[in-house]
């Protein structure tokens, strides 16, 4: 079965083709980062218009890469939510129009499920069950994953997501959008002893997160400087922030593994590309104590941010497990607010 995946939930237009026998056949992606940079964040109307402009050329590109004709597509998966309403409608309209023209079934995919399953696209995918840390600009959640659609929420952020804290703290330092990669890169030049920021909820007895206080601590530190921050000052603040947030993420992951007794950890979402997070988790996974060792899995770097491949793959998995979810009803149906718990068992 060949599944076309369409992603348009925010500021990336992604198109991909996945074959349940051969794997990922092709994917094409356009990022709007350059367009939104001058505004310091995503402008929804501009994002929607750009999706309209990019979707069909990317579809043709993906078909050419896979050496397929559109009639060879067996099903179409598209991001139904959550996300920006206008942006989601673009992807849904392309999916519905193409589905009707080709008489192919559609399946709407939860954007976060796409991220959650994206590490399974790797050359050495994890086996079920595993603990998943879903960490992005809009979400920070720990889940137990026993199979496709078999998710149990273990903990989540009570306020800001980790990626949001990265972006907001970067803005306080005057760094360009997107702030996450910028502040992480700057942190590599900082002195870890200058700023010891709080580790929110590090010693709580649950698996929840809180990052709004850490962002406030960064603001307080910045205000203590009487003059404009030098590059060295900025690097030191960035280092203190990144060390704090990584310590919390790693500690919560280790606690989740200990509480469940599982030995496989999967990292998904945009922050999964963070090199400091990967280094810290890799070090923990290879503990000198054999009883504390575990396996950690990441998506390929190109699949950490939004992309069509994860939607095509999630669609293929859904269609294999729940074929009844496919539909030939071609009316638009998007869910800008779609709680992930509705997918959980």
């Amino acid at each position: 079965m060949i599944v076309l995946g369409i992603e348009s939930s925010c500021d990336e237009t992604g198109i991909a083709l996945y074959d349940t026998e051969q794997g990922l056949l092709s994917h094409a992606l356009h990022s709007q980062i350059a367009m939104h940079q001058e505004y310091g964040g995503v402008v929804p109307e501009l994002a929607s218009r750009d999706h309209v402009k990019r979707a069909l050329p990317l579809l043709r590109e993906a078909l050419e890469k896979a050496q397929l004709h559109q009639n060879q597509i067996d099903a179409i998966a598209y991001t139904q939510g959550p996300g920006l309403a206008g942006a989601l409608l673009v992807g849904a309209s392309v999916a519905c129009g193409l589905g009707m023209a080709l008489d192919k079934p559609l399946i709407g995919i939860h954007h976060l499920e796409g991220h959650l399953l994206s590490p399974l696209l790797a050359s050495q995918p994890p086996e079920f069950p595993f603990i998943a840390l879903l960490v992005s600009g809009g979400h920070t959640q720990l889940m137990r994953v026993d199979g496709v659609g078999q998710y149990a929420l273990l903990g989540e952020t009570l306020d800001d997501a980790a990626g949001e804290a990265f972006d907001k703290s970067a803005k306080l330092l005057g760094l360009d959008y997107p702030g996450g990669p910028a502040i992480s890169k700057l942190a590599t030049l900082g002195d870890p002893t200058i700023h010891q920021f709080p580790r929110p909820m590090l010693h709580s007895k649950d698996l929840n997160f809180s990052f709004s206080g850490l962002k406030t601590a960064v603001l307080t530190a910045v205000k203590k400087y009487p003059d404009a921050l030098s590059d060295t000052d900025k690097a030191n603040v960035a280092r203190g922030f990144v060390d704090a947030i990584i310590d919390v993420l790693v500690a919560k992951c280790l606690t989740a593994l200990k509480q469940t007794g599982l030995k496989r950890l999967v990292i998904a979402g945009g922050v999964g590309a963070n090199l400091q997070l990967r280094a810290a988790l890799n070090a923990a996974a290879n503990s000198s104590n054999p009883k504390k060792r575990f396996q950690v899995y990441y998506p390929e770097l190109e699949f950490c941010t939004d992309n069509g491949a994860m939607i095509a793959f999630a669609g293929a998995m859904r269609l294999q497990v729940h074929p009844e979810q496919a539909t030939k009803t071609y009316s638009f149906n998007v869910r800008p607010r779609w709680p992930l718990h509705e997918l959980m068992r």
Side-chain angles (χ1 to χ4, degrees):
M1 179 171 59
I2 296 175
V3 179
L4 170 68
I6 302 173
E7 157 61 28
S8 68
S9 64
C10 190
D11 60 343
E12 274 103 7
T13 315
I15 306 288
L17 290 155
Y18 183 85
D19 188 319
T20 53
E21 292 185 356
Q22 299 180 46
L24 185 64
L25 301 178
S26 67
H27 73 100
L29 181 72
H30 175 76
S31 173
Q32 301 175 4
I33 286 178
M35 180 177 69
H36 295 295
Q37 230 164 11
E38 63 179 298
Y39 303 100
V42 176
V43 181
E45 178 64 20
L46 294 181
S48 301
R49 293 183 183 188
D50 200 66
H51 288 309
V52 172
K53 180 179 173 182
R54 307 289 178 180
L56 294 183
L58 288 173
L59 173 60
R60 288 191 287 269
E61 180 183 337
L63 287 168
E64 289 174 6
K65 285 181 178 178
Q67 298 183 333
L68 292 175
H69 187 272
Q70 61 187 22
N71 290 326
Q72 293 174 272
I73 296 170
D74 296 306
I76 301 171
Y78 66 98
T79 303
Q80 191 174 10
L84 301 175
L88 290 168
L89 281 168
V90 176
S93 66
V94 172
C96 291
L98 191 61
M100 178 179 286
L102 301 177
D103 190 30
K104 302 295 183 180
L106 308 179
I107 184 165
I109 297 298
H110 195 294
H111 178 76
L112 298 183
E113 184 173 43
H115 277 300
L116 195 61
L117 299 177
S118 62
L120 276 70
L121 284 164
S123 55
Q124 295 182 318
E127 296 179 357
F128 298 114
F130 54 77
I131 296 297
L133 173 66
L134 181 57
V135 57
S136 67
H139 301 84
T140 303
Q141 297 172 315
L142 272 168
M143 284 176 281
R144 177 183 173 125
V145 180
D146 289 297
V148 177
Q150 299 178 45
Y151 315 129
L153 182 65
L154 303 177
E156 61 185 339
T157 183
L158 303 179
D159 40 60
D160 290 352
E164 186 179 2
F166 269 99
D167 288 338
K168 289 180 177 178
S169 297
K171 192 170 185 178
L172 292 173
L173 294 175
L175 303 179
D176 290 336
Y177 171 86
I183 196 170
S184 296
K185 182 178 181 180
L186 184 60
T188 62
L189 305 175
D191 184 337
T193 66
I194 302 298
H195 294 283
Q196 295 296 319
F197 290 123
R199 273 64 172 162
M201 300 188 72
L202 182 64
H203 301 294
S204 67
K205 295 181 180 179
D206 56 35
L207 294 171
N208 290 326
F209 304 85
S210 173
F211 296 115
S212 62
L214 180 56
K215 175 192 63 183
T216 303
V218 172
L219 174 61
T220 302
V222 169
K223 286 184 175 180
K224 285 182 179 179
Y225 287 88
D227 303 312
L229 274 71
S230 67
D231 290 342
T232 299
D233 294 333
K234 290 181 180 181
N236 291 336
V237 173
R239 179 60 182 268
F241 165 78
V242 171
D243 285 353
I245 205 167
I246 297 302
D247 282 353
V248 172
L249 291 173
V250 172
K252 295 289 185 175
C253 287
L254 298 183
T255 301
L257 290 168
K258 183 177 179 180
Q259 290 183 0
T260 60
L262 297 180
K263 291 293 185 180
R264 285 184 290 271
L265 175 67
V266 165
I267 309 301
V271 181
N274 183 278
L275 297 181
Q276 289 98 326
L277 177 60
R278 291 191 176 211
L281 286 171
N282 289 341
N286 295 295
S287 170
S288 57
N289 184 344
K291 293 182 179 180
K292 293 184 178 181
R293 292 175 188 166
F294 58 93
Q295 295 174 293
V296 59
Y297 300 85
Y298 310 96
E300 301 292 341
L301 286 174
E302 61 184 329
F303 298 139
C304 285
T305 54
D306 297 347
N307 62 85
M310 69 182 191
I311 302 303
F313 178 75
M317 296 300 99
R318 278 268 166 191
L319 290 168
Q320 288 183 313
V321 178
H322 299 289
E324 73 282 357
Q325 293 181 357
T327 178
K328 287 191 175 182
T329 300
Y330 300 115
S331 57
F332 294 0
N333 180 19
V334 297
R335 302 186 63 182
R337 297 183 181 275
W338 186 0
L340 185 62
H341 68 74
E342 293 185 10
L343 297 181
M344 297 179 188
R345 62 169 185 258

